[in-house]
């Protein structure tokens, strides 16, 4: 559990392997799909088609990071994501969200004695090195996206001599706090305006507005409604609506889906018959339903997130931030209220990044995660390579971006 006290309590970590071609084998390639909170055990199955011939060079290792998936879990009780991931459009939204957040944090403390401070990215990086050693390898290679990219950067700082090839995709400012990392509302607002202009040019199809400003006005009215919008059995209120909208906003290839979802929500608000997309219904099911897998995800995700020392304590600062941010982020100001009530934080000092590890950084220029963070990381790592693509996306090692797939595969095969 605590790598600095190796004779103490232990944790089980679940891993998987797809073996390399023995005649071509270079080593092991570990991976992480991001989150935090998402399981990675099956992630090599997603990566293998992208890797193509490169897959034959590596044992592809999937990992459910500590407290995630089939690794030893945390227990914060049964919860709905919609009660924890909320916007604070109104004071009533904020008070309701605070009540849910405080109850969740209290359940996490009560059910996980001695565990929560060890849900942190450095311990997860040390787990990766334990896996390397258990597999009898001198070095590992790695691909991680989003939080998984941050995990790779932390690993390269702690174990730079043990890195063969490392790819970090859509990285944040690893030295910064989670409080800052999740302040991505301005990026989401920019993504919305980009999409709104696209939709306005297609008003004859979607009927969302003839200009981007008209589209924004119609959606703003939808978000700030006093009564929830009913889609099937789900009631989407002003605290949940921004999260529902963002579910199809992150990648420019989802523009049509976003337009169809907004049309559905506007029609539902007007009491018209609707036919929701499968993607929208799938997201609503995950967001509003209670299930063991989703409860486990929330426990791991928020424990890693709130463990960081950068979060203010108590709700007052969060309300001030919400009021301030709504001036420039009227649709997508983010409030992660469970962290206001979190008391278990990492005791390790802040991590400074800077070494000579060879590392490939890939990023989209128009990601809601600022590309400036990737450039800042590149400057701190003189042997790193930075490749960007002019696209709205979070995660660029993707079949929809073939030039970046080729870039990553050339690096891993080199």
């Amino acid at each position: 559990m605590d790598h600095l006290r190796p004779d103490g309590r232990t944790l089980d970590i679940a891993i998987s392997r797809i073996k390399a071609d023995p005649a071509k084998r270079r080593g092991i390639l570990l991976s992480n799909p991001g989150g935090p909170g998402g399981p990675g055990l099956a992630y090599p199955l997603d990566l293998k088609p992208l890797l193509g011939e490169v897959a034959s060079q590596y044992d592809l290792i999937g990992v459910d990071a500590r407290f995630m998936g089939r690794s030893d879990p945390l227990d914060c009780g049964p919860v709905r994501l919609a009660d924890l991931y909320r916007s604070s459009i109104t004071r009533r939204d904020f008070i309701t969200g605070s009540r849910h957040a405080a109850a969740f944090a209290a359940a996490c403390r009560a059910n996980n004695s001695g565990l929560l401070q060890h849900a942190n990215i450095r311990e997860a990086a040390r787990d990766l090195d334990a896996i390397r050693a258990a597999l009898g390898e001198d070095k590992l290679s790695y691909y991680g996206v989003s939080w998984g990219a941050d995990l790779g950067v932390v690993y390269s700082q702690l174990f730079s001599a043990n890195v063969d090839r490392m790819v970090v995709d859509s990285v944040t400012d690893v030295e910064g706090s989670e409080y800052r990392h999740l302040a991505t509302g301005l990026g989401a607002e920019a993504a919305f305006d980009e999409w709104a202009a696209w939709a306005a040019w297609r008003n004859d199809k979607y009927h969302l507005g003839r200009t981007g400003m008209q589209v924004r006005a119609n959606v703003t009215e939808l978000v700030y409604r006093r009564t929830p919008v009913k889609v099937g059995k789900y009631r989407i209120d002003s605290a949940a609506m921004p999260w529902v909208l963002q579910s199809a906003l992150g990648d420019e290839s989802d523009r049509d889906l976003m337009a169809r979802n907004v049309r559905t929500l506007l029609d539902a608000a007007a009491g018209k018959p609707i036919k929701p997309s499968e993607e929208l219904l799938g997201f609503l099911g995950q967001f509003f339903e209670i299930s063991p897998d989703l409860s486990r995800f929330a426990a791991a995700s928020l424990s890693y997130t709130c463990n960081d020392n950068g979060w203010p304590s108590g709700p007052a600062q969060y309300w001030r931030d919400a009021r301030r941010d709504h001036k420039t982020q009227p649709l997508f100001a983010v409030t992660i209220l469970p962290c206001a009530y979190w008391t278990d934080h990492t005791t390790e000092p802040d991590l400074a990044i800077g070494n000579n590890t060879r590392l490939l950084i890939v990023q989209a220029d128009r990601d809601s995660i600022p590309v400036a963070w990737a450039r800042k990381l590149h400057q701190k790592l003189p042997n790193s390579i930075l490749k960007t693509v002019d696209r709205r996306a979070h995660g660029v090692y993707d079949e929809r971006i073939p030039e970046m797939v080729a870039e990553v595969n050339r690096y891993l095969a080199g």
Side-chain angles (χ1 to χ4, degrees):
M1 182 177 70
D2 183 349
H3 285 278
L4 302 182
R5 294 175 175 82
D7 295 330
R9 186 173 175 179
T10 62
L11 296 172
D12 283 344
I13 302 295
I15 70 172
S16 63
R17 177 170 61 181
I18 301 174
K19 290 187 177 181
D21 181 340
K24 301 177 181 178
R25 188 179 187 276
R26 178 190 182 104
I28 56 173
L29 177 69
L30 277 69
S31 56
N32 186 282
L41 205 62
Y43 194 44
L45 295 174
D46 296 329
L47 291 178
K48 190 174 181 181
L50 292 170
L51 289 164
E53 288 300 314
V54 179
S56 65
Q57 296 180 234
Y58 293 95
D59 286 358
L60 306 181
I61 309 298
V63 183
D64 281 352
R66 57 170 53 204
F67 306 126
M68 302 180 198
R70 288 170 58 184
S71 295
D72 281 348
L74 297 172
D75 176 15
C76 297
V79 294
R80 298 190 317 162
L81 301 185
D83 292 332
L84 302 175
Y85 298 91
R86 299 170 55 85
S87 294
S88 299
I89 298 295
T90 67
R91 180 68 178 174
R92 183 178 65 179
D93 289 339
F94 184 84
I95 291 171
T96 300
S98 295
R99 186 173 67 249
H100 287 303
F104 176 80
C108 288
R109 286 194 301 273
N111 297 344
N112 302 286
S113 177
L115 290 176
L116 295 180
Q117 74 183 72
H118 299 290
N120 69 73
I121 197 166
R122 266 187 270 194
E123 293 285 26
R126 294 181 182 114
D127 292 343
L128 297 183
D129 204 60
I131 293 168
R132 175 200 60 77
L135 294 173
E137 300 288 335
D138 293 332
K139 294 179 180 290
L140 62 74
S141 294
Y142 180 85
Y143 169 80
V145 60
S146 193
W147 182 85
D150 295 1
L151 177 61
V153 173
V154 171
Y155 181 89
S156 74
Q157 184 65 39
L158 297 179
F159 303 102
S160 58
N162 298 344
V163 175
D164 180 13
R165 294 284 187 270
M166 177 162 289
V167 181
V168 294
D169 184 347
S170 305
V171 72
T172 70
D173 177 9
V174 180
E175 290 179 342
S177 71
E178 289 297 314
Y179 184 51
R180 181 184 177 211
H181 291 169
L182 295 173
T184 57
L186 285 174
E189 297 285 346
F192 180 87
D193 285 336
E194 182 181 301
W195 166 79
W198 178 91
W201 275 100
R202 295 157 181 80
N203 186 55
D204 57 339
K205 179 177 181 180
Y206 302 113
H207 308 290
L208 300 177
R210 295 185 180 279
T211 67
M213 291 298 293
Q214 287 180 357
V215 175
R216 175 174 275 276
N218 288 332
V219 174
T220 300
E221 184 176 342
L222 181 67
V223 170
Y224 284 79
R225 278 173 57 91
R226 294 192 176 189
T227 57
V229 175
K230 188 175 182 182
V231 176
K233 62 181 179 179
Y234 306 111
R235 294 171 61 83
I236 309 169
D237 63 8
S238 56
M241 187 64 75
W243 294 87
V244 174
L245 291 170
Q246 285 195 76
S247 66
L249 193 58
D251 193 292
E252 62 188 52
S253 64
D254 290 331
R255 286 170 174 167
D256 171 71
L257 174 61
M258 175 70 173
R260 288 186 285 116
N261 287 352
V262 170
R263 183 69 266 159
T264 294
L265 294 167
L266 289 170
D267 288 345
K272 297 179 181 179
I274 59 172
K275 187 177 180 180
S277 68
E278 292 183 7
E279 293 88 347
L280 177 59
L281 289 175
F283 177 83
L284 293 176
Q286 289 186 326
F287 201 58
F288 287 101
E289 300 283 354
I290 295 177
S291 76
D293 286 345
L294 292 172
S295 295
R296 179 179 290 191
F297 166 82
S301 180
L302 287 167
S303 294
Y304 272 88
T305 298
C306 299
N307 184 298
D308 185 89
N309 285 310
W311 294 93
S313 179
Q317 182 64 49
Y318 295 79
W319 177 243
R320 288 193 292 269
D321 290 347
R323 293 296 84 207
R324 178 200 65 209
D325 291 345
H326 280 146
K327 296 175 183 177
T328 56
Q329 304 161 43
L331 298 179
F332 300 116
V334 173
T335 309
I336 307 295
L337 282 172
C339 298
Y341 300 94
W342 212 259
T343 58
D344 296 85
H345 299 285
T346 180
T347 58
E348 298 193 47
D350 292 341
L351 185 68
I353 301 299
N355 57 51
N356 292 319
T357 305
R358 188 183 176 201
L359 181 147
L360 175 62
I361 308 164
V362 293
Q363 199 104 355
D365 285 326
R366 291 179 283 122
D367 190 357
S368 293
I369 299 295
V371 70
W373 290 354
R375 295 192 176 109
K376 183 178 178 182
L377 176 66
H378 176 47
Q379 291 172 354
K380 293 176 180 177
L381 301 173
N383 282 350
S384 66
I385 304 164
L386 173 63
K387 298 291 183 179
T388 64
V389 61
D390 182 15
R391 185 180 174 90
R392 172 74 58 190
H394 185 61
V396 298
Y397 188 53
D398 187 298
E399 63 183 2
R400 296 169 294 187
I401 314 176
E403 64 271 33
M404 297 305 281
V405 172
E407 194 74 51
V408 170
N409 288 352
R410 276 194 298 270
Y411 170 80
L412 290 173

